[in-house]
Each structure stands twice: as structure tokens, then as C-alpha cells.
């Protein structure tokens, strides 16, 4: 308790005795000082005592496409915590196979009087979807922010990782390990993040390894589902075409790629290297620990909350895209191509939970 008091006191710029009086509801503390202590609690991640918690400022809807992929619960946790600290109550609405559609979830949330909505990987990411649905939401006076996807037809703040840059990181890393025939396993082509990953992959394969775009697009890209089975199917095709390394669009697909390699009688990473995308919870503890592109979930989730609350507060954030830089986390699923010692030396981010990189 002493350590907590000292941390809170230092953050608020007051004495530990003052912090104690605020936490225990004692008199003799000005409103300004009391608010400084409460703000320090929020910034440090401590829960406020029940009697000091703000009354809810309203409901905020959070719509995700599913929860089976661990990246979506990760986003939900970050966004939910950020909203709660600002006095809002998050309402998680998840699409399920055969269940409610995004439009039905939006209708349900609007009927319940939400103050705003955050969409994660919603229809805004589908280049074939009708974007008029978001304009209608504007017409109902409901502010919103969107994560992972972009359309210039929607007037709202967008939050995205740099998908093109992520592919550059992956290709450069694998090329440095001596891999020359690298495959990409991604989702359906109609999704904006997929299109961007393809663009980044094609360009990087050309600039880093000199592989012509036509060859990459014809031989080295496989589309499938964002699932373990989807990754397995896509990777199996890529391995069949002679790829010694596979970059995937999600960690779940990467686990499928590892399964495909083993079915082909290949070892990961001795015979085949695999790179994931997201750095989902627990992915550092798979067999082998997965080299992946870390999506900056915390920064992106908090940025989406800030942007939405600015919209709600009447000072809209710029209706443009805020792009966050991902990072390569090297673990145990990538290694030098058989018979190669690598060709280029490039710095990489190694995982602090696995300092040797595998």
C-alpha cells in the first residue's frame, strides 16, 4: 500500500497523506487536489474506490466481427478499460455465424441510446460494402470511430496499422535469413487491409529480392480464411510451390501454416520459416514461439477512444486515417534458409519475453 500511495502522490504532485485522505473520503482536501489524485489513479491504472467512481457518462458500443481470434478480445479489453476510465460503460456487440449482422447490432445499440460506437474490422474494411450505412448513422446523430479499414466515402476518424510497412518488415527479415522464395497467405482480396498487405508484399519482394511483381502475384500469394484451417490450406499451396518461408495475415493463419509444414514432413524453423501478424496473447508460447508483426493494439485502441470522445464532445477529430507503425518481433519460427547463412544484416525487435529470439 505504501508503494501505491507514493506512486499516486508523485503522479498527482501531492503528499501521501493527502492521497490517503482522498481515498478514505476524509474532509480537508480541495476539489482541485481531489481531482488531481483521482486523475493520477486513472493514469496509473488503479481502480477508484467504489464511492469515488464517476457515475456513468453513457454507453459506448463496441462492435467486433468475432472473439475466436484473440486479437479481437485484446482490442475489446484495451478499449473497454479506456472507456471505463473516462466514465463510460462499454457495450460489446459481437457478430457470430448465423447470428446478428453488423447492421442489426448497430440498430440494437442505437435503440439503447449509445453515445457512440467503435467498429473493429467492420464492413468499413470491405471494399465491396455499401458505405451509405455509415452516413445514415451520422444522420441519426451517433458519432463513431473505425479500426482496421478505410474508405474515403466515410467521414470519421480511422485507426489502422501500417499494413504495407508490416510486409516490408517481414520480407526484409526473411531475406536477411537467406530466403528468396517467400509466400504470402492472406484473407479475401476485397478487404482493405488485405489489399494493402498485398501491395506492400509485392513491392518489397521486388525491391528487396528483385522478384517481378507478375511472378509474386501469380505464384507467391494465396487467399484463404483468417483461421487456422485457412492458414493451413494457403500455406500448403505455397509450400507445394517451393516456398521456404511463409508470411501470414494473422497469428491464427500462422499456426495453420506451421501445421501445414509438419504435414509436409518439414520442420519449423529448420526447413520452413513462418511469420505471423498481430502478436496475439499467448502467441509467444506456441511451439515454436511465433515470429510475428506486432499490431500496436494498446496505442490503436486508446487512439480510437480519444477520437470518439472528441466527436462526442463536439470537437471532432480529423476525419482522416491515423496510421500506427507495427514492429517485427523475432522468436523461434524463423531461421536461416537451409544451406544459407543469410545475406543481409538488418536490426530487428526481439521479444523481451524471449530475448534469444527462439
Amino acid at each position: 500500500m505504501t508503494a501505491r500511495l507514493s506512486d499516486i502522490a508523485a503522479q498527482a504532485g501531492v503528499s501521501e497523506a493527502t492521497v490517503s485522505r482522498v481515498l478514505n473520503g476524509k474532509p480537508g482536501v480541495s476539489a482541485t487536489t481531489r481531482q488531481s489524485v483521482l486523475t493520477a489513479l486513472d493514469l496509473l491504472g488503479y481502480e477508484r474506490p467504489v464511492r469515488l467512481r464517476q457515475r456513468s457518462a453513457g454507453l459506448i458500443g463496441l462492435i467486433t466481427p468475432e472473439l475466436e481470434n484473440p486479437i479481437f478480445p485484446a482490442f475489446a479489453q484495451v478499449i473497454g478499460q479506456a472507456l471505463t476510465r473516462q466514465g463510460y460503460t462499454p457495450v460489446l456487440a459481437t457478430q457470430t455465424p448465423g447470428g446478428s449482422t453488423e447492421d442489426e447490432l448497430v440498430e440494437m445499440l442505437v435503440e439503447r441510446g449509445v453515445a457512440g460506437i467503435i467498429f473493429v474490422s467492420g464492413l468499413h474494411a470491405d471494399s465491396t460494402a455499401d458505405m451509405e450505412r455509415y452516413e445514415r448513422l451520422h444522420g441519426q446523430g451517433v458519432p463513431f470511430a473505425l479500426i482496421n479499414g478505410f474508405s474515403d466515402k466515410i467521414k470519421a476518424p480511422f485507426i489502422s496499422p501500417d499494413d504495407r510497412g508490416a510486409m516490408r518488415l517481414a520480407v526484409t527479415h526473411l531475406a536477411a535469413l537467406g530466403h528468396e522464395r517467400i509466400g504470402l497467405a492472406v484473407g479475401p482480396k476485397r478487404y482493405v487491409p488485405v489489399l494493402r498487405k498485398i501491395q506492400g508484399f509485392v513491392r518489397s519482394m521486388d525491391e528487396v529480392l528483385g522478384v517481378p511483381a507478375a511472378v509474386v502475384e501469380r505464384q507467391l500469394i494465396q487467399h484463404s480464411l483468417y483461421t487456422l484451417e485457412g492458414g493451413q490450406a494457403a500455406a500448403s499451396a505455397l509450400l507445394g510451390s517451393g516456398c521456404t518461408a511463409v508470411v501470414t495475415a494473422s497469428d491464427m493463419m500462422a499456426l495453420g501454416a506451421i501445421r501445414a509444414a509438419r504435414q509436409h514432413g518439414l520442420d519449423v524453423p529448420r526447413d520452413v520459416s513462418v511469420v505471423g501478424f498481430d502478436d496475439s496473447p499467448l502467441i509467444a508460447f506456441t511451439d515454436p514461439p511465433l515470429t510475428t508483426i506486432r499490431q500496436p493494439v494498446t496505442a490503436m485502441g486508446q487512439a480510437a477512444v480519444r477520437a470518439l470522445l472528441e466527436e462526442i464532445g463536439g470537437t471532432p477529430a480529423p476525419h482522416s486515417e491515423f496510421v500506427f507503425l507495427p514492429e517485427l518481433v523475432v522468436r523461434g519460427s524463423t531461421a536461416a534458409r537451409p544451406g544459407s547463412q543469410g545475406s543481409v544484416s538488418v536490426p530487428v525487435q526481439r521479444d523481451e519475453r524471449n530475448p534469444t529470439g527462439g
Side-chain angles (χ1 to χ4, degrees):
M1 186 62 177
T2 302
R4 285 188 57 183
L5 285 177
S6 62
D7 291 343
I8 297 166
Q11 179 70 39
V14 300
S15 68
E16 292 182 31
T18 298
V19 173
S20 180
R21 284 197 294 273
V22 172
L23 296 181
N24 290 293
K26 302 294 184 182
V29 181
S30 70
T32 301
T33 300
R34 187 180 300 275
Q35 186 57 49
S36 296
V37 171
L38 295 178
T39 300
L41 278 173
D42 296 339
L43 291 173
L44 293 172
Y46 296 130
E47 287 191 9
R48 297 186 183 191
V50 175
R51 63 180 173 277
L52 297 178
R53 294 177 188 171
Q54 297 176 347
R55 295 179 61 85
S56 175
L59 305 176
I60 299 290
L62 171 60
I63 298 181
T64 65
E66 48 145 319
L67 291 178
E68 291 185 1
N69 186 328
I71 197 63
F72 296 122
F75 267 115
Q77 181 176 7
V78 168
I79 293 169
Q81 289 176 342
L83 288 170
T84 300
R85 288 175 184 171
Q86 296 299 322
Y88 287 87
T89 300
V91 179
L92 179 61
T94 304
Q95 300 175 62
T96 55
S100 299
T101 65
E102 179 178 308
D103 290 338
E104 290 169 340
L105 293 175
V106 168
E107 183 179 356
M108 178 269 291
L109 291 170
V110 172
E111 287 177 352
R112 282 159 177 74
V114 294
I117 300 175
I118 295 177
F119 296 85
V120 181
S121 299
L123 288 171
H124 65 281
D126 188 339
S127 62
T128 66
D130 180 7
M131 299 302 165
E132 284 297 316
R133 55 176 41 88
Y134 298 104
E135 191 60 37
R136 290 194 294 271
L137 192 56
H138 268 308
Q140 294 174 291
V142 180
F144 55 90
L146 308 112
I147 297 176
N148 277 344
F150 177 77
S151 171
D152 56 12
K153 299 176 182 178
I154 305 173
K155 298 177 181 178
F158 290 87
I159 311 294
S160 301
D162 184 351
D163 289 297
R164 300 182 185 92
M167 293 300 99
R168 180 81 179 196
L169 288 173
V171 169
T172 301
H173 169 60
L174 293 169
L177 294 172
H179 295 277
E180 298 175 351
R181 191 166 179 84
I182 303 169
L184 174 64
V186 287
K189 195 172 183 178
R190 69 180 186 272
Y191 293 110
V192 172
V194 171
L195 293 170
R196 290 174 169 180
K197 285 183 176 70
I198 291 173
Q199 292 167 359
F201 182 74
V202 170
R203 181 172 182 177
S204 298
M205 289 292 288
D206 182 14
E207 295 179 351
V208 176
L209 290 171
V211 182
V215 173
V216 176
E217 293 173 352
R218 185 173 63 252
Q219 301 179 12
L220 301 179
I221 298 174
Q222 287 289 327
H223 296 275
S224 191
L225 301 177
Y226 281 106
T227 61
L228 189 148
E229 293 78 12
Q232 181 178 348
S236 183
L238 292 169
L239 294 173
S241 69
C243 290
T244 63
V246 177
V247 180
T248 65
S250 77
D251 291 336
M252 295 293 286
M253 295 185 80
L255 296 181
I258 293 174
R259 177 189 284 182
R262 289 171 177 165
Q263 287 188 334
H264 281 252
L266 302 172
D267 178 79
V268 177
R270 186 183 65 232
D271 303 312
V272 177
S273 288
V274 176
V275 178
F277 186 91
D278 283 334
D279 196 27
S280 310
L282 302 181
I283 212 67
F285 308 103
T286 57
D287 179 25
L290 186 66
T291 293
T292 189
I293 303 295
R294 177 178 291 162
Q295 189 171 181
V297 171
T298 299
M300 290 172 62
Q302 292 175 345
V305 170
R306 286 195 300 271
L308 179 63
L309 296 188
E310 287 178 1
E311 295 272 319
I312 293 172
T315 55
H319 289 168
S320 58
E321 187 174 24
F322 301 86
V323 179
F324 288 74
L325 297 178
E327 59 180 320
L328 174 68
V329 184
V330 178
R331 298 192 182 103
S333 65
T334 52
R337 177 176 60 85
S340 169
Q341 296 301 313
S343 57
V344 184
S345 177
V346 293
V348 297
Q349 173 68 42
R350 293 194 175 272
D351 181 27
E352 64 274 9
R353 291 167 290 187
N354 188 11
T356 64

